[in-house]
Amino acid sequence: MIVCSCNAFSDHQVRSVVAKEARRPRMSEVYACLGCSAQCGRCAHTIKRIMDERPTCAPGSIHANASMH
């Protein structure tokens, strides 16, 4: 789904940026990684929700592998 109509990016693109970062990115970093900047701000709530969905442990971290031992 289109998250930002001003910059024309989707939820998949936002999730991709959030997943690639070692830590939770700032909102401005998400825009920068997508090659744009905030315009009207209507997408901010949706981007924040997507960032909040990110797991607390990155795949491959010690905590993520703890159940494998």
Side-chain angles (χ1 to χ4, degrees):
M1 109 181 123
I2 295 295
V3 170
C4 178
S5 55
C6 296
N7 292 302
F9 59 76
S10 71
D11 61 318
H12 297 290
Q13 290 171 287
V14 174
R15 284 186 174 87
S16 177
V17 168
V18 171
K20 289 178 186 174
E21 296 294 320
R23 58 166 177 71
R24 179 183 167 154
R26 298 175 61 95
M27 185 81 65
S28 61
E29 293 171 326
V30 172
Y31 287 108
C33 287
L34 294 171
C36 58
S37 60
Q39 301 297 314
C40 75
R42 287 184 297 175
C43 57
H45 177 74
T46 303
I47 294 169
K48 182 183 180 322
R49 185 175 46 82
I50 291 170
M51 290 191 305
D52 289 346
E53 292 171 357
R54 178 186 172 157
T56 55
C57 293
S61 71
I62 294 170
H63 299 289
N65 291 329
S67 62
M68 296 174 65
H69 296 284

